[in-house]
Amino acid sequence: MSVDENMVRRIANLARIGVTDEEVPALATELSAIIGFVEQLSELDTEGVKPLTSAVDDKIRGREDVVTDGGYAEDVLANAPEKDDEYFAVPKVVE
Amino acid sequence: MAENNNLISGATGDWEIVLGLEVHAQVASNAKLFSGASTEFGAEPNAQVSLVDAAMPGMLPVINWFCVEQAVRTGLGIKAQINNYSVFDRKNYFYPDLPQGYQISQFQQPIVGEGAIEIDLADGVVKEIGIERLHLEQDAGKSLHDQHPNMSFVDLNRSGVALMEIVSNPDMRSAAEAQAYVKKLRAILRYLGTCDGNMEQGSMRADVNVSVRKPGDALGTRCEIKNVNSIRFIGQAIEYEARRQVDLIEDGGVVEQQTRLFDPKTGETRAMRSKEEAHDYRYFPDPDLLPLEFSQEFVDEIAKDLPELPDDKKARFIADYGLTPYDAGVLVGEAENAAFFEAAAEGQDAKAVANMVIGSVFAGLNKADLDIGDSPVSPAQVGQLVGLIADDTVSGRSAKEVFELMFEDGPDQGKDPAVIIEEKGLKQVTDTGAIEAAVDEVIAANPDKVAQAKERPKMAGWFVGQVMQATGGKANPQAVNQLVLSKLGLD
Amino acid sequence: MTDLTQMNLAEARDGLAAKEFSAVELTQAHIDRVSASASLNAYVLETPEKALEMAALSDAKIAAGEARPLEGLPIGVKDLFCTKGVRTTACSNILGDFIPPYESTVTQNLWADGAVMLGKLNNDEFAMGSSNETSRFGPVVNPWKAHGQELVPGGSSGGSSAAVAARLGIAATATDTGGSIRQPAAFTGTVGLKPTYGRCSRWGIVAFASSLDQAGPITHTVRDAAMMLTSMASFDPRDTTSVERDVPNYEAALIGKGGGDIKGLRVGIPQEYRVDNMPAEIEKLWQQGIDWLRDAGAEIVDVSLPHTKYALPAYYIIAPAEASSNLARYDGVRYGARKQGADIDDMYAQTRAAGFGDEVKRRVMIGTYALSAGYYDAYYVKALQVRRLIAEDFTKAYEKCDVLLTPTTPSAAFEIGKNVEDPLEMYLNDVFTVTVNLAGLPGISVPAGLDANGLPLGLQLIGQAFGEETLLRTASVLEEAAGFDAQPQDWWSA
């Protein structure tokens, strides 16, 4: 399967990566080449094989319900590109 | 299936509303689902944010096991399938109050599967609403859009708070049913203690899926009204949205599947600007979290100390106390009310206690804007007062006064009813001699009324009233009645 | 006094213990060498003041007889590790001048054991690359040269490998998602150890692909790698994929001069690693390695890892898919460099278009595609199924052997710029290393010889899960047999 220009725009939008019209054709070619490469996988019969999501053969561990963190708004906001008082500030969102 | 009496009429005939709800209930935990930051309401902006909640580079989630227990507990409370193996997925989308760029949720394999809730409708009808699933997920932060002309502000205090999303089947057919469902679900959660059910503070809110169809037709296209945060608004939003869809279709239009917002100021819903079809959440198992696994023993332990739930309690109140289904339903609405009633009813006439709790107690609390836990009158005092009426120590009328004195802010607040009756001289007069004298006095003073009463026996009531007034309400009304009738020769 | 930058970790430790020199002297020697070696572009941030401060503390500890395991040893830190109060960028523009208010678990462990931080090392942007050419700070130059050409140091931990090879730090931290420790080690004549997934905490390391990322050291010797791993590894309750297991003293696993006895150890040779077009000298080196281990008493066993050829394609679905999600947090809201936009979505698009380099964009887009509606099953689920088959290949192979021996890379270091235009060609660098990440196993690259151009080549040993002790013991035997002592000629010092 090849990735066409519409698909490039669609996934660029999903990934929120701005692409210019000039960039789209080259991206389509590059992404198609990679997809072409990974498509080798379709040769393999994987019927009934359980997907492996983690190499860790262990049970999930949990925490107790105790407040151990937070209370440092200053640190949380220290690297913010833009802030107002104790808030992060972003271009206005219209819902 | 029962006939649907909730059809709404349009120009082309009747329409049926089909409703399904996704309720987001905040787990009553101290710390967040995947971080150790506090969940307490009302903190300064970004004061309850850990590095994990702010999605700093390299930060990792660690699950709060208490939240897992609460999800299982809730699942058991709605008689649902508990899945001993479930998976956390990432739901990917961009929004300023979603720091990770994904929400950790459960998609294909939720912790709780199918269950059911019975809702109580006005006419005593009980209807079962199917639950499709319950899963655990993180809440997002909060965006404030009205603080600045061209900026939105983001507070991440809620970011990462544990939510249970409880998804119903599209089984409801009217705003009233949807409201009854939310009330019932809220009661169950509060009984279980897994969510405080506080809708004003956002610990419970609903996404309402609304569609309309001609009865018997296939399901119509639905619109989802997001984040409705009160039972009243749920009703208003449904009424508005159903009518909008009917009008739209009848005008030749087509309902578009979309996400809408309810505006409490106008009572209307409107489409959100962001288009639903642009979403592709790209769910996949969160590689930072291993699958959520627990043993059957873990579930059994939780099942062991499940409290009695509203339905069971209601059935017991009807069976053991002889209450009407309506009174029982009202009393079990909140676990605290039911407990108050049971404490008051100990050794007393339960029906009379129920009346006083539902009448005097609830009215007083409502007027004073108090929670039942803060009631100035204790359950024992309610019981005592009912007992004092039953043994004719005090008349029903005086009892009201006694109750008010116990309840109201003043020197008598919190005093036992017997003490107040004694101090205020409200003891009922059962001495026939004293009552007889009062009756005689009234008859002697009103010869014309006596004459009238001979013609119209109903006039007897007037004499009873006069006697009661003359005795300051302390006379036993039955004794007065009997004496009036016999003295007037009407018995 | 001898040149204090010409020692390995164990030698420097012993020298400090014997008070032959001080930690401050040792550190100063490295600081000087680092600042004279800017042309290699190995460091993206030097922290000499911090280093000297830490070294002074180490001298006090040593004087008080309280030396910790890595006391006073100056090392470099890959810029993927968050360092408290010290700029951390993952070598991406999108992080701007991000200063973490926290320290990664791995580096915290190192500082707690007395190590001294010289600065932050260059890497491929977000660790995506095999040549260290995708960094926002520009490429790292391999201290090794052939025919006067500037070569890549491998990637993504190219700053780490170049720094150790050029002696700009006695050791370095690195991370490995598909080969990012072992391949650069092979390209620079250094030792690169990728531990078992879950051995080192990922907390505080900028994530690339969560289910594959693992921290490890690049060092001069196998013994040094053992020393570093002993400090870097820990069970960390903040990373639920870190495994609750005691950390042994890995150095203690190395016994005697050659590091240990491997008599009777079964060494598997996976036939599928004899890939088409494998250069003869790689093939020859591999055979040499087999002979060395056999001569040391190991039993050589032929094994099969039948799904090997599918590892790279599976990896190029799984890693980008996870990355597409892991990198969503770089949105210009809470930290990093923001580009203004017409509205919020435009702000995201502009910020991410300007902040990410081409390779990162490609991988994020491939990952987004693989997870999107309609493609998820065909690509992502399929890749996870193949991942299981690959993991099972290893399980079966380990019924017949204890460790595996393979080449680390299909070639020696190549020229800067050679593969930049062809991502697929670049991806093939990881052909021998990715299987190990997919299966979560430990692997180590040991410098084993020079090619015809005088460039180093590495051999890879792959161990069983948490079999680092056996792996290190075998590696030290290989190291001893190879007797690799070549060094790049210093052409770069200013």
Side-chain angles (χ1 to χ4, degrees), chain C residues 237-259:
Chain C
R238 296 179 297 184
D239 173 6
T240 54
T241 62
S242 95
V243 174
E244 195 163 7
R245 217 178 218 271
D246 289 342
V247 179
N249 179 349
Y250 289 108
E251 197 187 355
L254 309 176
I255 324 148
K257 184 167 171 286

PDB file of all heavy atoms in Angstrom, chain C residues 237-259:
ATOM      1  N   PRO C 237      10.062   1.899  42.019  1.00  0.00           N
ATOM      2  CA  PRO C 237       8.594   1.865  42.120  1.00  0.00           C
ATOM      3  C   PRO C 237       7.913   2.893  41.206  1.00  0.00           C
ATOM      4  O   PRO C 237       6.728   2.775  40.928  1.00  0.00           O
ATOM      5  CB  PRO C 237       8.312   2.207  43.591  1.00  0.00           C
ATOM      6  CG  PRO C 237       9.611   2.145  44.296  1.00  0.00           C
ATOM      7  CD  PRO C 237      10.718   2.233  43.285  1.00  0.00           C
ATOM      8  N   ARG C 238       8.671   3.873  40.738  1.00  0.00           N
ATOM      9  CA  ARG C 238       8.063   4.883  39.861  1.00  0.00           C
ATOM     10  C   ARG C 238       7.979   4.420  38.412  1.00  0.00           C
ATOM     11  O   ARG C 238       7.381   5.093  37.584  1.00  0.00           O
ATOM     12  CB  ARG C 238       8.869   6.187  39.946  1.00  0.00           C
ATOM     13  CG  ARG C 238       8.830   6.817  41.333  1.00  0.00           C
ATOM     14  CD  ARG C 238       9.654   8.086  41.386  1.00  0.00           C
ATOM     15  NE  ARG C 238      11.059   7.822  41.130  1.00  0.00           N
ATOM     16  CZ  ARG C 238      12.021   8.740  41.180  1.00  0.00           C
ATOM     17  NH1 ARG C 238      11.706   9.986  41.463  1.00  0.00           N
ATOM     18  NH2 ARG C 238      13.266   8.418  40.943  1.00  0.00           N
ATOM     19  N   ASP C 239       8.619   3.300  38.102  1.00  0.00           N
ATOM     20  CA  ASP C 239       8.521   2.717  36.755  1.00  0.00           C
ATOM     21  C   ASP C 239       7.986   1.306  36.920  1.00  0.00           C
ATOM     22  O   ASP C 239       8.717   0.399  37.321  1.00  0.00           O
ATOM     23  CB  ASP C 239       9.896   2.711  36.077  1.00  0.00           C
ATOM     24  CG  ASP C 239       9.885   1.954  34.738  1.00  0.00           C
ATOM     25  OD1 ASP C 239       8.798   1.534  34.288  1.00  0.00           O
ATOM     26  OD2 ASP C 239      10.969   1.794  34.150  1.00  0.00           O
ATOM     27  N   THR C 240       6.707   1.116  36.613  1.00  0.00           N
ATOM     28  CA  THR C 240       6.123  -0.213  36.877  1.00  0.00           C
ATOM     29  C   THR C 240       6.605  -1.254  35.878  1.00  0.00           C
ATOM     30  O   THR C 240       6.289  -2.422  36.026  1.00  0.00           O
ATOM     31  CB  THR C 240       4.582  -0.192  36.892  1.00  0.00           C
ATOM     32  OG1 THR C 240       4.131   0.373  35.677  1.00  0.00           O
ATOM     33  CG2 THR C 240       4.052   0.588  38.053  1.00  0.00           C
ATOM     34  N   THR C 241       7.361  -0.843  34.869  1.00  0.00           N
ATOM     35  CA  THR C 241       7.966  -1.853  34.011  1.00  0.00           C
ATOM     36  C   THR C 241       9.390  -2.187  34.465  1.00  0.00           C
ATOM     37  O   THR C 241      10.062  -3.004  33.850  1.00  0.00           O
ATOM     38  CB  THR C 241       7.999  -1.417  32.526  1.00  0.00           C
ATOM     39  OG1 THR C 241       8.804  -0.245  32.397  1.00  0.00           O
ATOM     40  CG2 THR C 241       6.592  -1.126  32.010  1.00  0.00           C
ATOM     41  N   SER C 242       9.849  -1.520  35.514  1.00  0.00           N
ATOM     42  CA  SER C 242      11.144  -1.936  36.066  1.00  0.00           C
ATOM     43  C   SER C 242      10.874  -3.154  36.946  1.00  0.00           C
ATOM     44  O   SER C 242       9.821  -3.254  37.560  1.00  0.00           O
ATOM     45  CB  SER C 242      11.804  -0.792  36.849  1.00  0.00           C
ATOM     46  OG  SER C 242      11.527  -0.860  38.223  1.00  0.00           O
ATOM     47  N   VAL C 243      11.802  -4.076  36.929  1.00  0.00           N
ATOM     48  CA  VAL C 243      11.512  -5.379  37.533  1.00  0.00           C
ATOM     49  C   VAL C 243      12.070  -5.448  38.952  1.00  0.00           C
ATOM     50  O   VAL C 243      13.191  -5.023  39.220  1.00  0.00           O
ATOM     51  CB  VAL C 243      12.058  -6.509  36.636  1.00  0.00           C
ATOM     52  CG1 VAL C 243      11.910  -7.858  37.313  1.00  0.00           C
ATOM     53  CG2 VAL C 243      11.305  -6.504  35.304  1.00  0.00           C
ATOM     54  N   GLU C 244      11.234  -5.970  39.840  1.00  0.00           N
ATOM     55  CA  GLU C 244      11.598  -6.046  41.250  1.00  0.00           C
ATOM     56  C   GLU C 244      12.537  -7.230  41.465  1.00  0.00           C
ATOM     57  O   GLU C 244      12.108  -8.358  41.642  1.00  0.00           O
ATOM     58  CB  GLU C 244      10.328  -6.199  42.095  1.00  0.00           C
ATOM     59  CG  GLU C 244      10.560  -5.940  43.555  1.00  0.00           C
ATOM     60  CD  GLU C 244       9.266  -5.679  44.312  1.00  0.00           C
ATOM     61  OE1 GLU C 244       8.180  -5.826  43.719  1.00  0.00           O
ATOM     62  OE2 GLU C 244       9.349  -5.322  45.490  1.00  0.00           O
ATOM     63  N   ARG C 245      13.824  -6.930  41.429  1.00  0.00           N
ATOM     64  CA  ARG C 245      14.824  -7.981  41.458  1.00  0.00           C
ATOM     65  C   ARG C 245      16.079  -7.361  42.046  1.00  0.00           C
ATOM     66  O   ARG C 245      16.398  -6.216  41.737  1.00  0.00           O
ATOM     67  CB  ARG C 245      15.137  -8.329  39.994  1.00  0.00           C
ATOM     68  CG  ARG C 245      15.388  -9.763  39.701  1.00  0.00           C
ATOM     69  CD  ARG C 245      15.616  -9.836  38.183  1.00  0.00           C
ATOM     70  NE  ARG C 245      15.024 -11.030  37.623  1.00  0.00           N
ATOM     71  CZ  ARG C 245      15.638 -12.190  37.520  1.00  0.00           C
ATOM     72  NH1 ARG C 245      16.872 -12.327  37.925  1.00  0.00           N
ATOM     73  NH2 ARG C 245      15.037 -13.230  37.006  1.00  0.00           N
ATOM     74  N   ASP C 246      16.767  -8.077  42.861  1.00  0.00           N
ATOM     75  CA  ASP C 246      17.997  -7.537  43.434  1.00  0.00           C
ATOM     76  C   ASP C 246      19.013  -7.248  42.329  1.00  0.00           C
ATOM     77  O   ASP C 246      19.061  -7.937  41.329  1.00  0.00           O
ATOM     78  CB  ASP C 246      18.602  -8.525  44.427  1.00  0.00           C
ATOM     79  CG  ASP C 246      17.756  -8.618  45.697  1.00  0.00           C
ATOM     80  OD1 ASP C 246      16.953  -7.683  45.914  1.00  0.00           O
ATOM     81  OD2 ASP C 246      17.888  -9.615  46.426  1.00  0.00           O
ATOM     82  N   VAL C 247      19.808  -6.225  42.558  1.00  0.00           N
ATOM     83  CA  VAL C 247      20.884  -5.918  41.618  1.00  0.00           C
ATOM     84  C   VAL C 247      22.162  -6.550  42.166  1.00  0.00           C
ATOM     85  O   VAL C 247      22.629  -6.168  43.242  1.00  0.00           O
ATOM     86  CB  VAL C 247      21.071  -4.394  41.481  1.00  0.00           C
ATOM     87  CG1 VAL C 247      22.206  -4.097  40.505  1.00  0.00           C
ATOM     88  CG2 VAL C 247      19.770  -3.735  41.023  1.00  0.00           C
ATOM     89  N   PRO C 248      22.697  -7.523  41.441  1.00  0.00           N
ATOM     90  CA  PRO C 248      23.947  -8.121  41.927  1.00  0.00           C
ATOM     91  C   PRO C 248      25.112  -7.170  41.670  1.00  0.00           C
ATOM     92  O   PRO C 248      24.976  -6.199  40.939  1.00  0.00           O
ATOM     93  CB  PRO C 248      24.092  -9.382  41.074  1.00  0.00           C
ATOM     94  CG  PRO C 248      23.346  -9.098  39.819  1.00  0.00           C
ATOM     95  CD  PRO C 248      22.263  -8.107  40.165  1.00  0.00           C
ATOM     96  N   ASN C 249      26.251  -7.449  42.272  1.00  0.00           N
ATOM     97  CA  ASN C 249      27.461  -6.719  41.903  1.00  0.00           C
ATOM     98  C   ASN C 249      27.988  -7.388  40.632  1.00  0.00           C
ATOM     99  O   ASN C 249      28.572  -8.454  40.676  1.00  0.00           O
ATOM    100  CB  ASN C 249      28.491  -6.807  43.027  1.00  0.00           C
ATOM    101  CG  ASN C 249      29.777  -6.068  42.652  1.00  0.00           C
ATOM    102  OD1 ASN C 249      29.970  -5.681  41.498  1.00  0.00           O
ATOM    103  ND2 ASN C 249      30.637  -5.880  43.630  1.00  0.00           N
ATOM    104  N   TYR C 250      27.701  -6.752  39.494  1.00  0.00           N
ATOM    105  CA  TYR C 250      28.034  -7.395  38.213  1.00  0.00           C
ATOM    106  C   TYR C 250      29.534  -7.576  38.038  1.00  0.00           C
ATOM    107  O   TYR C 250      29.976  -8.480  37.339  1.00  0.00           O
ATOM    108  CB  TYR C 250      27.434  -6.592  37.054  1.00  0.00           C
ATOM    109  CG  TYR C 250      25.931  -6.718  36.993  1.00  0.00           C
ATOM    110  CD1 TYR C 250      25.095  -5.659  37.342  1.00  0.00           C
ATOM    111  CD2 TYR C 250      25.344  -7.911  36.587  1.00  0.00           C
ATOM    112  CE1 TYR C 250      23.720  -5.785  37.288  1.00  0.00           C
ATOM    113  CE2 TYR C 250      23.964  -8.061  36.530  1.00  0.00           C
ATOM    114  CZ  TYR C 250      23.151  -6.983  36.882  1.00  0.00           C
ATOM    115  OH  TYR C 250      21.793  -7.118  36.839  1.00  0.00           O
ATOM    116  N   GLU C 251      30.288  -6.691  38.650  1.00  0.00           N
ATOM    117  CA  GLU C 251      31.745  -6.826  38.504  1.00  0.00           C
ATOM    118  C   GLU C 251      32.213  -8.129  39.153  1.00  0.00           C
ATOM    119  O   GLU C 251      33.168  -8.755  38.696  1.00  0.00           O
ATOM    120  CB  GLU C 251      32.444  -5.616  39.149  1.00  0.00           C
ATOM    121  CG  GLU C 251      33.874  -5.473  38.675  1.00  0.00           C
ATOM    122  CD  GLU C 251      34.640  -4.385  39.411  1.00  0.00           C
ATOM    123  OE1 GLU C 251      34.023  -3.670  40.228  1.00  0.00           O
ATOM    124  OE2 GLU C 251      35.846  -4.251  39.173  1.00  0.00           O
ATOM    125  N   ALA C 252      31.521  -8.529  40.217  1.00  0.00           N
ATOM    126  CA  ALA C 252      31.895  -9.750  40.926  1.00  0.00           C
ATOM    127  C   ALA C 252      31.678 -10.981  40.060  1.00  0.00           C
ATOM    128  O   ALA C 252      32.231 -12.044  40.330  1.00  0.00           O
ATOM    129  CB  ALA C 252      31.096  -9.864  42.222  1.00  0.00           C
ATOM    130  N   ALA C 253      30.845 -10.829  39.007  1.00  0.00           N
ATOM    131  CA  ALA C 253      30.608 -11.963  38.110  1.00  0.00           C
ATOM    132  C   ALA C 253      31.823 -12.232  37.239  1.00  0.00           C
ATOM    133  O   ALA C 253      31.946 -13.280  36.616  1.00  0.00           O
ATOM    134  CB  ALA C 253      29.384 -11.685  37.238  1.00  0.00           C
ATOM    135  N   LEU C 254      32.735 -11.253  37.169  1.00  0.00           N
ATOM    136  CA  LEU C 254      33.938 -11.418  36.357  1.00  0.00           C
ATOM    137  C   LEU C 254      35.039 -11.955  37.259  1.00  0.00           C
ATOM    138  O   LEU C 254      35.463 -11.283  38.192  1.00  0.00           O
ATOM    139  CB  LEU C 254      34.364 -10.074  35.764  1.00  0.00           C
ATOM    140  CG  LEU C 254      33.270  -9.306  35.031  1.00  0.00           C
ATOM    141  CD1 LEU C 254      33.787  -7.959  34.579  1.00  0.00           C
ATOM    142  CD2 LEU C 254      32.770 -10.109  33.841  1.00  0.00           C
ATOM    143  N   ILE C 255      35.447 -13.185  36.974  1.00  0.00           N
ATOM    144  CA  ILE C 255      36.425 -13.812  37.866  1.00  0.00           C
ATOM    145  C   ILE C 255      37.736 -13.991  37.119  1.00  0.00           C
ATOM    146  O   ILE C 255      37.747 -14.402  35.961  1.00  0.00           O
ATOM    147  CB  ILE C 255      35.955 -15.204  38.340  1.00  0.00           C
ATOM    148  CG1 ILE C 255      34.434 -15.189  38.552  1.00  0.00           C
ATOM    149  CG2 ILE C 255      36.676 -15.634  39.603  1.00  0.00           C
ATOM    150  CD1 ILE C 255      33.785 -16.507  38.259  1.00  0.00           C
ATOM    151  N   GLY C 256      38.828 -13.698  37.758  1.00  0.00           N
ATOM    152  CA  GLY C 256      40.132 -13.964  37.190  1.00  0.00           C
ATOM    153  C   GLY C 256      40.516 -13.001  36.083  1.00  0.00           C
ATOM    154  O   GLY C 256      39.799 -12.060  35.782  1.00  0.00           O
ATOM    155  N   LYS C 257      41.631 -13.295  35.441  1.00  0.00           N
ATOM    156  CA  LYS C 257      42.202 -12.368  34.482  1.00  0.00           C
ATOM    157  C   LYS C 257      41.285 -12.183  33.270  1.00  0.00           C
ATOM    158  O   LYS C 257      40.967 -11.073  32.883  1.00  0.00           O
ATOM    159  CB  LYS C 257      43.581 -12.901  34.011  1.00  0.00           C
ATOM    160  CG  LYS C 257      44.305 -11.968  33.076  1.00  0.00           C
ATOM    161  CD  LYS C 257      45.765 -12.390  32.922  1.00  0.00           C
ATOM    162  CE  LYS C 257      46.454 -11.590  31.816  1.00  0.00           C
ATOM    163  NZ  LYS C 257      46.051 -12.008  30.462  1.00  0.00           N
ATOM    164  N   GLY C 258      40.859 -13.272  32.722  1.00  0.00           N
ATOM    165  CA  GLY C 258      40.002 -13.184  31.538  1.00  0.00           C
ATOM    166  C   GLY C 258      38.566 -12.878  31.892  1.00  0.00           C
ATOM    167  O   GLY C 258      37.717 -12.834  31.023  1.00  0.00           O
ATOM    168  N   GLY C 259      38.289 -12.701  33.158  1.00  0.00           N
ATOM    169  CA  GLY C 259      36.923 -12.361  33.550  1.00  0.00           C
ATOM    170  C   GLY C 259      36.109 -13.592  33.884  1.00  0.00           C
ATOM    171  O   GLY C 259      35.020 -13.478  34.414  1.00  0.00           O
TER     172      GLY C 259
END
